[in-house]
Amino acid sequence: MPKITGYETHDVRFPTSLTGDGTDAMNTDCDYSSAYVTLLTDSDLVGHGMTFTIGRGNDIVCTTIKAVADRLVGKDTEELFGNMGKAWDHLVADPQLRWVGPEKGVIHIATGAVNNALWDMFARSRSKPLWKLIVDFTPEEFVRSTTFRYISDAITPEEALELLKAKEAGKKEREAKVRELGYPAYVTSAGWLGYSDEKISRLTKEAIAHGFNHFKMKVGADQADDLRRGKLIRSLIDDPTLLPEGVSPRDPESDDLKGKNAGPTGSVLMIDANQVWDVKQAIDYVQGLTEIKPWFIEEPTAPDDILGHATIRKALKSSNIGVATGEHAHNRMVFKQLLQADAVDVAQIDSCRLAGVTEVLSVLLMAAKFGTIVCPHAGGVGLCEYVIHLSLIDYICVSGNMERNVLEYVDHLHEHFYTPCSINARGRYNVPSNPSEGYSIEMKKESIAEFEWPNGTYWQGRRKSEA
């Protein structure tokens, strides 16, 4: 059986700060970056993984990835695959590395990259896309593949097994349905804070033409300007004349849209503050935006402030505006408390802020038990490629529902991957179907050669031109 013999890491950075992509009230200067790892074996089996940053510090994550990946060198792959929950426990169990977490910060996102690479290797060894590998698990295998440490007061392995068994009967039908329709998506690309009105209008119209009916905009720098920009986007997404030919307005009171403040075409607007406010400031600011009827405010305050989110959610209920968070919730324990405190309407897992697939599975199980929908954070570089797998696992195995869920889609940097995600004419993610793509995160060698920091050809050329 193959053994893990080593790894390679790459610090890959894309100059998205030049175009304003990714800009918001907190993150005003973003170079979308990948701390990338490939696990190697004594055979031709490999596993690719990454975690996402926005530039400076990406080298620190790469260094930390090496320290975590060392824990797998010499391990038999089949022993690891046979109990992925135990394998994850081993990754986080080094007592000296744990001290610089524990289970948060750089050490945790580095662990996510390594765990994701191990899952990619597992899926490749079985010639299945990652989602299909896990969907085909028995409930017992699923439970064995996740972690319950520190969350058993919210969900036990026995409860998880019961939940999964209850969904077992309809798995084949749900898989067939999502293969036919695709998974619902929403678009963020039109709403970056650094975009001009002309660019916002053009990108919003393009998104409508591609079948999207959920749209997100960034807020938090200036309330009056946010209201103006929100009215601009609303005027477009609520205009039935802009709908694609043959597409009728959706019923705002239908089960999948009810409570989302959908407009007359059935389109939904969400807003995202990226953590810029204190609690009272968040409440006052968002109440000043009720005219644009957002479904939810995302990341209204510090991502670790569970009780702050609960206070904001309670205060905004009378305005019918929900609360979403999770892209910076750094471990399953934060999600546990958000759910226990009734602090969120929407849980937004991140595929590599959490420590890989194993920890994501635990959050999916908790959210299903608490009846909270999961709408993963994506965008960046590689995150869309990742999260379609996670939403498929959630729908087919765990929640059994995708009618109210939407998965973030950002139209940037997909061309750098061998098996990029794609969107169909209904504004939905297509289901990954290549049996050799694993977790869909293998980056093209020429992209690494061009954008690796600091000596990739792009960065060398830029330094010369600036000199």
Side-chain angles (χ1 to χ4, degrees):
M1 298 297 174
K3 289 183 184 289
I4 295 177
T5 57
Y7 48 83
E8 297 175 355
T9 63
H10 298 279
D11 177 351
V12 185
R13 308 187 192 186
F14 298 95
T16 51
S17 59
L18 298 178
T19 55
D21 299 341
T23 49
D24 56 59
M26 180 66 78
N27 306 297
T28 56
D29 182 26
C30 307
D31 282 331
Y32 280 174
S33 302
S34 169
Y36 189 79
V37 61
T38 300
L39 295 176
L40 308 172
T41 69
D42 55 9
S43 71
D44 59 359
L45 180 64
V46 297
H48 304 285
M50 58 151 280
T51 199
F52 170 68
T53 79
I54 59 169
R56 286 183 295 277
N58 204 50
D59 51 334
I60 300 171
V61 183
C62 287
T63 298
T64 310
I65 285 172
K66 294 174 184 177
V68 176
D70 271 334
R71 305 262 308 155
L72 295 180
V73 174
K75 296 292 183 183
D76 183 283
T77 56
E78 288 301 319
E79 286 186 16
L80 295 169
F81 300 158
N83 191 326
M84 289 292 279
K86 184 178 178 182
W88 189 88
D89 289 341
H90 176 70
L91 284 177
V92 301
D94 183 292
Q96 295 183 14
L97 291 180
R98 187 174 177 79
W99 187 261
V100 293
E103 297 187 41
K104 54 180 172 283
V106 172
I107 191 71
H108 208 55
I109 62 175
T111 302
V114 177
N115 182 250
N116 286 338
L118 187 61
W119 274 103
D120 179 69
M121 181 183 284
F122 188 3
R124 288 168 181 270
S125 75
R126 302 302 192 260
S127 297
K128 295 180 179 182
L130 176 84
W131 71 268
K132 182 60 172 167
L133 172 79
I134 296 178
V135 162
D136 288 346
F137 281 176
T138 65
E140 290 80 6
E141 288 172 322
F142 192 112
V143 169
R144 202 160 57 240
S145 297
T146 189
T147 177
F148 292 89
R149 191 179 193 184
Y150 304 139
I151 63 167
S152 60
D153 55 325
I155 189 167
T156 64
E158 294 75 21
E159 287 175 313
L161 188 62
E162 183 180 353
L163 186 155
L164 292 164
K165 284 183 175 179
K167 294 292 189 294
E168 190 75 1
K171 278 170 61 174
K172 282 186 170 51
E173 290 78 8
R174 289 193 293 276
E175 181 177 334
K177 180 178 179 180
V178 74
R179 282 184 183 274
E180 178 188 356
L181 297 178
Y183 194 90
Y186 74 86
V187 65
T188 301
S189 298
W192 298 123
L193 205 59
Y195 284 178
S196 67
D197 286 2
E198 184 279 327
K199 190 169 184 177
I200 290 171
S201 296
R202 175 174 57 80
L203 292 175
T204 302
K205 289 175 183 177
E206 288 175 3
I208 295 169
H210 279 99
F212 288 98
N213 79 319
H214 285 64
F215 307 81
K216 190 169 78 180
M217 61 174 281
K218 301 292 185 173
V219 299
D222 180 274
Q223 189 185 53
D225 192 57
D226 290 341
L227 187 60
R228 183 190 61 77
R229 290 166 54 247
K231 287 179 178 178
L232 170 61
I233 294 174
R234 264 288 178 205
S235 71
L236 299 171
I237 67 177
D238 290 346
D239 184 350
T241 66
L242 295 179
L243 291 174
E245 187 176 349
V247 174
S248 301
R250 305 180 196 192
D251 180 6
E253 293 302 311
S254 61
D255 289 342
D256 58 331
L257 294 177
K258 195 170 185 177
K260 290 186 174 184
N261 286 330
T265 64
S267 289
V268 176
L269 180 64
M270 301 96 86
I271 56 176
D272 183 0
N274 293 91
Q275 318 156 32
V276 294
W277 300 316
D278 284 352
V279 171
K280 187 178 185 309
Q281 186 184 13
I283 294 166
D284 293 342
Y285 198 111
V286 175
Q287 285 177 336
L289 299 178
T290 55
E291 188 178 349
I292 60 174
K293 296 183 178 179
W295 170 25
F296 62 64
I297 173 62
E298 180 180 338
E299 284 200 312
T301 193
D304 304 339
D305 189 357
I306 286 87
L307 297 183
H309 279 87
T311 298
I312 293 167
R313 182 172 185 251
K314 184 178 180 181
L316 293 178
K317 268 190 177 298
S318 60
S319 301
N320 196 34
I321 299 171
V323 169
T325 199
E327 76 175 83
H328 283 85
H330 48 243
N331 56 39
R332 64 205 176 281
M333 291 79 81
V334 174
F335 278 102
K336 177 187 75 171
Q337 293 173 72
L338 287 166
L339 294 166
Q340 288 174 329
D342 204 20
V344 289
D345 298 272
V346 177
Q348 293 176 305
I349 55 171
D350 183 276
S351 55
C352 43
R353 175 72 58 179
L354 293 171
V357 175
T358 298
E359 190 172 33
V360 166
L361 297 181
S362 69
V363 176
L364 295 180
L365 290 165
M366 282 192 293
K369 180 186 172 181
F370 280 80
T372 300
I373 65 171
V374 176
C375 299
H377 165 249
V381 53
L383 300 189
C384 294
E385 279 67 30
Y386 267 155
V387 293
I388 177 55
H389 292 267
L390 304 178
S391 286
L392 291 170
I393 294 163
D394 180 41
Y395 168 54
I396 298 170
C397 296
V398 184
S399 69
N401 191 293
M402 68 171 176
E403 276 62 43
R404 294 185 62 77
N405 304 58
V406 279
L407 172 55
E408 186 169 21
Y409 177 74
V410 172
D411 191 20
H412 306 303
L413 305 173
H414 305 296
E415 68 274 14
H416 297 289
F417 295 91
Y418 285 110
T419 51
C421 68
S422 62
I423 296 289
N424 65 26
R426 302 184 183 96
R428 291 171 173 251
Y429 275 84
N430 291 311
V431 172
S433 57
N434 186 331
S436 63
E437 71 182 279
Y439 202 0
S440 305
I441 209 68
E442 183 178 3
M443 192 177 289
K444 293 178 179 178
K445 290 179 175 57
E446 55 267 34
S447 295
I448 295 174
E450 184 175 2
F451 292 102
E452 186 156 20
W453 176 268
N455 294 319
T457 55
Y458 170 81
W459 294 108
Q460 287 186 28
R462 181 162 161 181
R463 283 196 298 274
K464 288 178 181 176
S465 67
E466 289 173 351

